[in-house]
Amino acid sequence: SREIGQFALAEAAAVWKSMGMPNPVRLIELGPGRGTMMADMLRAIRVLPSFYQAVSVHLVEINPALIAKQKEALHGFRSGVTWHDSIADLPDGPPIILANEYFDALPVHQAIRQQHGWHERVIMLNEQDQLVFGVAPEPLHRFEVLLPPLVRMAPVGAIFEWRPTQEIMRLAPFED
């Protein structure tokens, strides 16, 4: 884990320099788990005093048990670590965003190719009140138009998986 923290620090420092070394800069970790990577980064960042002084640390986490572990892992490093419930709660300013496993945890949608188009794969209850995979009765409207050509030619029974872009787009708002 220390290697990950040191690698993340090197990458973050390079990004910070390429941004013109803004002060302050928001160092944001999405889904920080137990806080190990950020703790390792903050331990290693001390070798770059100007970066260390410019950093404002923000963690996006909703799990109270993990927040407690993160606070324990980050205790004594510095003041100014702030926790947020969602990306939308982050303050404005130049960010450096770390998301080691965050995107893996986002919900996934699936569509299954049927005889008459792509239908969303759903979770439903069977007769024994067990959760099982099912298929929505109506095809996804104009779904094929959005697919790459190779996927459009997929055989019946093929499954296509995607993540909605809303959460990702919150990280990169468009300027007017």
Side-chain angles (χ1 to χ4, degrees):
S1 172
R2 287 184 191 224
E3 293 81 26
I4 293 173
Q6 290 173 350
F7 176 76
L9 167 64
E11 292 296 314
V15 168
W16 179 64
K17 287 181 181 178
S18 74
M19 295 167 72
M21 301 187 330
N23 187 353
V25 63
R26 296 174 300 145
L27 184 59
I28 300 166
E29 187 173 1
L30 306 177
R34 295 181 177 165
T36 307
M37 184 171 72
M38 185 59 73
D40 289 343
M41 280 189 69
L42 292 176
R43 191 173 1 290
I45 199 174
R46 291 179 177 157
V47 301
L48 302 169
S50 57
F51 187 36
Y52 184 76
Q53 292 304 315
V55 163
S56 167
V57 178
H58 299 269
L59 304 177
V60 178
E61 180 63 66
I62 60 170
N63 184 315
L66 287 176
I67 291 171
K69 290 189 181 296
Q70 294 155 14
K71 287 182 178 181
E72 185 179 311
L74 297 171
H75 178 75
F77 278 109
R78 62 176 293 163
S79 60
V81 176
T82 307
W83 280 263
H84 305 276
D85 290 334
S86 77
I87 292 169
D89 296 337
L90 291 167
D92 290 333
I96 297 174
I97 301 170
L98 308 166
N100 191 32
E101 295 180 7
Y102 180 79
F103 295 111
D104 294 339
L106 292 177
V108 173
H109 292 264
Q110 292 183 337
I112 187 164
R113 175 69 183 233
Q114 299 288 298
Q115 190 67 33
H116 300 290
W118 290 88
H119 295 250
E120 188 157 14
R121 195 171 191 198
V122 296
I123 306 284
M124 54 194 305
L125 290 175
N126 66 11
E127 294 81 24
Q128 293 80 32
D129 285 335
Q130 298 169 322
L131 294 173
V132 296
F133 283 114
V135 178
E138 295 296 320
L140 292 164
H141 182 67
R142 298 185 44 82
F143 186 73
E144 244 176 73
V145 175
L146 304 173
L147 296 174
L150 189 60
V151 177
R152 285 185 210 150
M153 298 183 313
V156 170
I159 296 173
F160 180 75
E161 193 171 272
W162 77 97
R163 284 193 170 89
T165 59
Q166 295 90 337
E167 190 74 11
I168 295 166
M169 293 309 291
R170 287 186 190 144
L171 298 174
F174 293 99
E175 298 293 323
D176 292 333

